[in-house]
Amino acid sequence: MAASLSAQKQYVFRANKTKENAIIASYEVAQLIAQHRKPFSDGDFIKQCLTKVAEIICPEKMQEFNNVSMSRNNVVR
């Protein structure tokens, strides 16, 4: 029973860490967009580019790349 609880904790921690990493990545890209004075709508284009790269290089991580939100509203925030 203790091993089962430990496995469940690791699963939840891993899922939480994945979401946290997606948010951090989103903010980092938004900061780069702002620093280079690009339009906020470029976030969607950048996400499409990253998704294509991930599709080729590491298809097993596609869901993590899809979790990164680069919508115009998020970049503005």
Side-chain angles (χ1 to χ4, degrees):
M1 190 162 179
S4 175
L5 179 62
S6 177
Q8 288 176 356
K9 282 182 183 178
Q10 287 179 340
Y11 178 76
V12 170
F13 177 75
R14 204 173 317 129
N16 195 19
K17 188 66 174 168
T18 300
K19 289 179 184 179
E20 184 179 315
N21 287 341
I23 293 169
I24 291 170
S26 174
Y27 287 147
E28 290 292 329
V29 173
Q31 183 178 9
L32 288 171
I33 290 171
Q35 285 175 343
H36 291 278
R37 296 186 177 115
K38 299 294 182 185
F40 297 134
S41 59
D42 280 0
D44 289 327
F45 174 68
I46 292 170
K47 183 174 179 178
Q48 289 175 358
C49 293
L50 288 173
T51 303
K52 283 294 181 187
V53 170
E55 191 176 292
I56 295 167
I57 294 177
C58 53
E60 69 279 357
K61 300 278 186 173
M62 280 300 297
Q63 185 58 42
E64 291 181 36
F65 280 91
N66 287 331
N67 288 341
V68 176
S69 177
M70 291 305 308
S71 70
R72 182 181 209 160
N73 290 336
N74 282 356
V75 175
V76 169
R77 277 187 244 145

